[in-house]
Amino acid sequence: MSVIEVRELTKVFKIPKKEIGLTGAIKALFMPKYEQKTAVDRVNFQIDEGEVVGYIGVNGAGKSTTIKMLTGILVPTSGHARVLGRDPHKERVANAREIGVVFGQRTQLWWDLAFIESLNLVARIYQVPETRYKKLLDQFAEMLELKELFHVPIRNMSLGQKMRAELAATLIHEPRVVYLDEPTIGLDLIVKERIREFIKEQNQTKSTTVVLTTHDLGDIEELCKRVIIIDAGRLIYDGPIETIKQQFGKYREITFETIHSSERVTLPSGAETTHVEPRRLTVRFDRTLTTASQVAAALMNQIEVKDFSLSEPDLASIIKQIYNGALNREAA
Amino acid sequence: MIQSLRRNVSIYSAIASTAAKARLAYNMWVWADFFATIISMFIFVYFWRAVYAGETTLSGLTLAQTINYILLARLLAPLVETRTIYFFGYMIRQGQIAVELTRPLDMQLRVVVETFAELATFLVQRLPLFLLAWLIFGLQLPSNPAVWIAFFISLILGQAVLFLFDWMFACLAFYVTETWGLSVVRIGVGSFFSGALVPLVMMPGWLQNIAAAMPFAQAMSVPVSFLSGITSLADAPRLWTIQIIWLAALLILSRVIFSITVRKVTVQGG
């Protein structure tokens, strides 16, 4: 059953355009000029119950704007979104009861209150039955190591503590759909690991649907089977993470360290330089067209090589290629 | 129906007690406020004594009546200062509005509950000041419980009127994002026309008309006039009716304005 359905979803922001300086400010006061910025551009996708989907893109690609439309905060300019069969904006309160949202850089907890007091209030707002609440509290306390945080006010917490507290508060009413907007931003590896485990566990035991936006590809590799990539508001990829790996996995990279600087080298077909520095050269080649030894031999004939290394592409570099337009090139 | 009412009572009473607790988190602030209020009471009392030099009544008020009124107005003045307008601006500038709108709550009901819980906490915190005003300046409070009831009813109605009025202005934050200036102007105008600085009956007729056309007096002058003895109990039904009309009109208007302007929300910072 599909829980999230997005059709031709579009959001255009009207942004006041100001010239720099005092005269610019005065002009803007009397004759405001606006610029149209399309943050999300005719996006289509559908997410089923129990899926964990990575929603990725560079900063400003339109990820958060999409999430905000799905939570009912922003009204789409055109197209439509349905979450659990509802229009998220028109039925904002009903929608809010069944979803959970973490905005990585904000908090839904009360700044001055001890964490447990905030949590009690959140549970009350979502009308979590008393016995269920007690049970979940114990579970969460153990999984996220919250015991010693219960009596600490949010304002005194470290970033990692705050995020663990935030996640507990977001999932205490066992929402059917959870949006996590950069939940691991700025966290150390141990906290990241704990948070990923927690999300995975919630998804597996309760079939919670999770939409995750992140710049951390570790999150994606550990949690998501499917990714949706958007760039400049347009959906550019939607499919299994494996397909991406295979499609781009045919490339390998060799980095050469050379004695002298050399910018112009001739390479066998299927290979190209991707990165040039003085005395360092990175070459990417298609394994179906050429081989590592051919590339290396061709290069060694032209310049003196001190050292070289061969690397398998990780997801990070694949995503980087996609952002840089590799998908379009593939299609062409 | 009954079930949803019970649910709402349970949710919003929890929100009210949280707001009260959050306010109590800042104790230092209470002492600073005590000090500032005592100073302002001194200034106002000596000012009015000077104004009355040689006069027995002004606009039908004796010095004792005026001082009694002005002491109460000083004690309750923060009630006509708004936090709603600034709060909206802050929420929208910081992008916190995103979090607030993902809560399964009616935003207006939630903010009004928080505002009233804070006001109640504030009044309780200020009780020692009433005692001081009595000791130092001879503040007179009525002994008739009916007067107190009239005061509290008109205070609650008037504060609700003011809240809804501020709510409409606060919605401007969806367009301009910066509301600090707006809230400063609002507090200045509000203090003057609510009667927190000068009893309204002392103003020239045209100013009194302007004050009557604005909602500020409903939240300050009307209730305080009961307590200070300027208004008699016989006027209560008429004054309450006026307050209820204000309340009904502003309730409809403010909800319509919010539901239109909230569509404009552009959450700052991605």
Side-chain angles (χ1 to χ4, degrees):
Chain A
M1 194 196 98
S2 95
V3 291
I4 301 176
E5 220 185 285
V6 164
R7 247 188 291 144
E8 295 289 300
L9 192 67
T10 302
K11 179 74 191 177
V12 180
F13 287 115
K14 213 167 105 184
I15 299 166
K17 198 176 168 183
K18 277 182 198 156
E19 288 166 44
I20 298 164
L22 186 63
T23 40
I26 293 169
K27 259 193 216 163
L29 194 61
F30 292 104
M31 288 184 296
K33 279 187 194 150
Y34 294 97
E35 217 175 0
Q36 305 268 327
K37 187 176 178 284
T38 308
V40 174
D41 194 0
R42 288 161 289 158
V43 165
N44 292 288
F45 59 80
Q46 178 165 324
I47 294 172
D48 289 340
E49 184 164 16
E51 273 196 278
V52 184
V53 176
Y55 195 58
I56 53 184
V58 289
N59 287 325
K63 303 182 302 274
S64 291
T65 305
T66 313
I67 302 276
K68 278 163 193 154
M69 285 192 277
L70 292 177
T71 50
I73 301 165
L74 290 179
V75 191
T77 310
S78 65
H80 94 169
R82 300 230 141 229
V83 177
L84 298 163
R86 292 193 191 91
D87 177 327
H89 181 78
K90 285 207 183 97
E91 295 169 83
R92 184 177 65 76
V93 174
N95 183 48
R97 275 199 200 103
E98 298 202 65
I99 65 167
V101 195
V102 171
F103 294 107
Q105 305 179 58
R106 317 194 189 292
T107 179
Q108 60 157 316
L109 298 165
W110 280 256
W111 203 242
D112 301 312
L113 295 181
F115 169 46
I116 188 72
E117 285 190 89
S118 274
L119 207 51
N120 288 342
L121 181 56
V122 170
R124 184 78 78 88
I125 287 173
Y126 288 95
Q127 296 283 290
V128 183
E130 199 67 26
T131 48
R132 185 78 190 143
Y133 175 54
K134 287 238 164 66
K135 199 176 156 208
L136 287 172
L137 205 57
D138 285 344
Q139 276 178 20
F140 287 11
E142 194 181 323
M143 292 204 67
L144 292 167
E145 289 192 25
L146 298 174
K147 274 256 157 56
E148 71 276 23
L149 295 182
F150 279 154
H151 297 283
V152 180
I154 307 304
R155 66 180 139 91
N156 293 346
M157 287 188 185
S158 72
L159 196 59
Q161 292 172 332
K162 224 180 282 174
M163 187 46 71
R164 276 145 57 200
E166 199 67 38
L167 266 180
T170 302
L171 289 158
I172 200 77
H173 66 287
E174 302 176 276
R176 291 174 63 193
V177 181
V178 179
Y179 306 98
L180 304 171
D181 195 354
E182 304 189 16
T184 58
I185 194 164
L187 304 181
D188 67 48
L189 278 174
I190 298 164
V191 178
K192 270 185 191 169
E193 202 45 52
R194 176 151 294 131
I195 284 176
R196 287 171 191 161
E197 277 307 311
F198 180 71
I199 295 168
K200 208 186 274 179
E201 212 263 352
Q202 294 298 306
N203 164 256
Q204 280 164 2
T205 56
K206 293 167 191 166
S207 293
T208 312
T209 308
V210 180
V211 179
L212 174 74
T213 80
T214 183
H215 292 291
D216 188 318
L217 296 161
D219 291 350
I220 304 271
E221 276 183 295
E222 281 218 19
L223 293 169
C224 312
K225 288 200 178 67
R226 172 181 167 197
V227 288
I228 296 174
I229 303 176
I230 74 165
D231 190 45
R234 304 290 296 267
L235 190 146
I236 57 174
Y237 178 82
D238 178 359
I241 200 162
E242 283 308 316
T243 309
I244 294 194
K245 277 189 168 170
Q246 276 160 21
Q247 193 176 0
F248 287 86
K250 65 179 179 181
Y251 293 103
R252 289 284 184 277
E253 271 186 356
I254 313 182
T255 306
F256 295 94
E257 281 184 43
T258 57
I259 304 279
H260 307 288
S261 295
S262 173
E263 272 138 44
R264 237 173 289 148
V265 287
T266 34
L267 292 166
S269 70
E272 54 176 353
T273 52
T274 53
H275 196 70
V276 184
E277 268 177 68
R279 297 197 195 92
R280 182 191 279 266
L281 204 60
T282 306
V283 177
R284 190 177 71 140
F285 67 94
D286 185 335
R287 284 196 302 160
T288 60
L289 296 174
T290 181
T291 63
S293 72
Q294 275 174 9
V295 174
L299 220 105
M300 284 167 185
N301 278 335
Q302 296 166 63
I303 40 175
E304 192 68 27
V305 172
K306 206 163 85 179
D307 195 5
F308 69 93
S309 62
L310 182 69
S311 64
E312 282 227 4
D314 58 351
L315 195 58
S317 66
I318 291 173
I319 300 292
K320 208 159 110 193
Q321 289 171 37
I322 294 173
Y323 290 161
N324 290 335
L327 264 184
N328 298 340
R329 260 184 279 143
E330 283 297 301
Chain B
M1 179 69 193
I2 298 218
Q3 202 167 12
S4 102
L5 186 71
R6 260 174 54 190
R7 182 169 75 188
N8 279 339
V9 168
S10 140
I11 292 173
Y12 291 99
S13 63
I15 288 173
S17 83
T18 306
K21 270 184 237 160
R23 192 186 161 85
L24 291 169
Y26 293 98
N27 278 324
M28 271 309 290
W29 192 86
V30 173
W31 295 112
D33 176 56
F34 269 31
F35 183 71
T37 308
I38 292 168
I39 299 278
S40 105
M41 285 195 289
F42 266 106
I43 293 170
F44 272 81
V45 166
Y46 282 94
F47 170 78
W48 283 103
R49 279 185 189 162
V51 170
Y52 269 89
E55 306 281 341
T56 48
T57 62
L58 284 175
S59 305
L61 295 181
T62 64
L63 174 63
Q65 274 180 314
T66 301
I67 292 214
N68 217 35
Y69 173 90
I70 225 69
L71 283 173
L72 286 168
R74 282 298 89 204
L75 287 166
L76 299 174
L79 295 184
V80 288
E81 289 168 6
T82 172
R83 61 155 225 152
T84 317
I85 295 174
Y86 181 79
F87 172 66
F88 262 60
Y90 166 82
M91 253 182 0
I92 289 164
R93 215 168 47 247
Q94 301 287 321
Q96 187 66 17
I97 184 83
V99 175
E100 301 307 328
L101 287 176
T102 50
R103 297 188 201 277
L105 298 172
D106 179 283
M107 181 126 159
Q108 192 182 39
L109 185 54
R110 181 207 145 185
V111 179
V112 78
V113 163
E114 283 183 345
T115 304
F116 272 66
E118 282 182 13
L119 287 180
T121 318
F122 161 82
L123 283 180
V124 172
Q125 280 178 324
R126 278 205 152 193
L127 284 179
L129 276 175
F130 282 79
L131 195 69
L132 278 176
W134 172 69
L135 280 173
I136 304 173
F137 305 107
L139 173 70
Q140 299 282 314
L141 289 174
S143 52
N144 180 359
V147 173
W148 282 96
I149 291 169
F151 164 73
F152 276 114
I153 291 175
S154 64
L155 182 70
I156 291 166
L157 288 173
Q159 288 294 323
V161 166
L162 192 60
F163 172 83
L164 295 174
F165 179 78
D166 286 338
W167 181 269
M168 298 192 311
F169 274 89
C171 287
L172 275 175
F174 289 121
Y175 295 87
V176 298
T177 68
E178 179 53 68
T179 55
W180 180 79
L182 192 66
S183 86
V184 169
V185 172
R186 151 67 186 78
I187 289 171
V189 173
S191 299
F192 185 72
F193 286 105
S194 67
L197 302 172
V198 180
L200 291 180
V201 288
M202 287 190 182
M203 290 182 179
W206 60 275
L207 260 183
Q208 284 191 43
N209 289 337
I210 295 177
M214 293 201 262
F216 305 113
Q218 304 300 327
M220 167 65 70
S221 176
V222 171
V224 169
S225 296
F226 279 117
L227 208 55
S228 65
I230 295 177
T231 306
S232 76
L233 271 179
D235 284 327
R238 185 178 59 84
L239 293 171
W240 290 337
T241 312
I242 295 171
Q243 286 185 313
I244 288 167
I245 293 169
W246 268 106
L247 194 64
L250 288 178
L251 181 64
I252 296 166
L253 205 56
S254 68
R255 289 193 77 89
V256 169
I257 288 177
F258 180 76
S259 69
I260 294 170
T261 53
V262 76
R263 296 178 67 87
K264 277 279 166 238
V265 83
T266 43
V267 180
Q268 308 279 313

